[in-house]
Amino acid sequence: MIFCQLFEPLSSTYTYLLGCEETAQAILIDPVIVAIERDLGELSRLGLRLAYSLDTHIHADHITAALELKKRVGSKIAGPAIDRLPCVDVGIEEGRPFQLGAILLKPLHTPGHTDGHFAYVSDERVFTGDALLIEGCGRTDFQNGDAAVLYKSVHEKLFSLPDDCLVYPAHDYNKRHVSSIAQEKERNPRLGEGRTLEQFQGIMAGLNLPYPKFIDHAVPGNRQCGVCPADLPDKLAQYCAKMTDSQQG
Ligand SMILES: [Fe+2]
């Protein structure tokens, strides 16, 4: 399998490109709209045709490139069926493997950051979205988030994967790229190191994080599979900058 990890610095998002060498088809996990030209460039450089975009969840910090990719190259939009988005072409469910040529993804419903959040296992890797970050996790105070539910998702679904399974998160804010299940069990200060459910709930309740600055625009836009809001304030224009450029030709 062809594999690339791509980083979008504005939202510190990792997008993953998975390519099948036999069929020359590809999947992009969590593509970001402002990085669409880069992603299309990578696909073309590798001689791959994008068959699907696949989001782990409805993002609050960036606009997904799913819809724009569909318009540009005809890729289908895959995403958690539980979110019931009318724009999704292929609804993903746990227990139903998602296959493209030699690429086989095993979807795991991992709610807690959002209620519809999914992680995807591919052989020795797991794409954990925001459910499990390197020595961290996504916040649980919006989008039907729930710390107790996230604790259960991570401990029962992700921490039951093999210890040497590589953890590829949807974000990192400290220039880290990859971890492993064993490393997160041992070092994650919120969910690992033997933390109890009560300790985790206390940690998440005490984070005192600011209100997410893009959430009110990103969530409605992502519920339409990646529509940039028309009324975006100037100070947030960079979240849709590349698309605006391309629309202007
Ligand atoms: Fe998120």
Side-chain angles (χ1 to χ4, degrees):
M1 185 177 80
I2 297 162
F3 174 72
C4 298
Q5 183 183 45
L6 302 157
F7 184 68
E8 192 287 301
L10 181 62
S11 59
S12 296
T13 298
Y14 281 124
T15 294
Y16 298 98
L17 186 162
L18 314 183
C20 169
E21 281 146 319
E22 289 156 38
T23 62
Q25 289 185 307
I27 300 172
L28 280 172
I29 298 178
D30 288 337
V32 182
I33 200 154
V34 296
I36 191 168
E37 302 299 342
R38 175 206 61 191
D39 294 357
L40 291 173
E42 280 297 305
L43 289 160
S44 136
R45 184 179 68 81
L46 293 163
L48 297 168
R49 187 179 78 76
L50 186 67
Y52 293 98
S53 63
L54 173 62
D55 276 286
T56 52
H57 64 293
I58 296 171
H59 302 280
D61 62 344
H62 67 267
I63 300 274
T64 174
L67 187 62
E68 198 63 13
L69 286 164
K70 181 176 182 169
K71 287 186 198 163
R72 293 276 296 268
V73 296
S75 47
K76 289 203 166 97
I77 300 174
I82 193 170
D83 287 325
R84 292 201 203 92
L85 303 183
C87 54
V88 164
D89 298 307
V90 179
I92 299 293
E93 290 173 330
E94 186 168 304
R96 286 195 17 218
F98 182 69
Q99 186 154 17
L100 179 73
I103 303 167
L104 184 67
L105 295 176
K106 187 178 143 204
L108 294 176
H109 185 207
T110 46
H113 168 62
T114 70
D115 51 356
H117 187 288
F118 267 70
Y120 304 110
V121 181
S122 169
D123 292 330
E124 73 279 20
R125 298 181 178 98
V126 58
F127 303 100
T128 54
D130 290 6
L132 179 64
L133 304 178
I134 299 171
E135 295 184 15
C137 63
R139 59 197 296 173
T140 53
D141 48 352
F142 289 101
Q143 297 180 279
N144 297 319
D146 184 317
V149 172
L150 182 59
Y151 186 91
K152 192 165 182 270
S153 291
V154 170
H155 279 261
E156 292 182 6
K157 302 230 173 128
L158 300 176
F159 282 0
S160 66
L161 294 169
D163 274 351
D164 58 358
C165 184
L166 297 171
V167 170
Y168 284 95
H171 301 284
D172 193 79
Y173 305 95
N174 291 295
K175 298 186 186 301
R176 294 166 299 191
H177 291 257
V178 61
S179 181
S180 71
I181 293 298
Q183 185 168 309
E184 291 313 306
K185 281 184 188 166
E186 288 165 7
R187 290 179 56 119
N188 192 300
R190 297 182 185 173
L191 287 150
E193 297 185 309
R195 292 274 184 270
T196 64
L197 169 61
E198 289 69 29
Q199 286 173 323
F200 179 63
Q201 286 175 303
I203 291 166
M204 296 311 284
L207 288 178
N208 284 321
L209 295 168
Y211 187 77
K213 58 180 178 239
F214 193 43
I215 189 169
D216 293 333
H217 300 286
V219 170
N222 287 330
R223 293 194 68 84
Q224 299 170 75
C225 293
V227 171
C228 270
D231 59 340
L232 200 59
D234 284 352
K235 65 177 194 296
L236 297 175
Q238 55 190 338
Y239 285 93
C240 288
K242 290 276 166 49
M243 192 170 103
T244 305
D245 288 345
S246 71
Q247 279 181 332
Q248 289 170 347

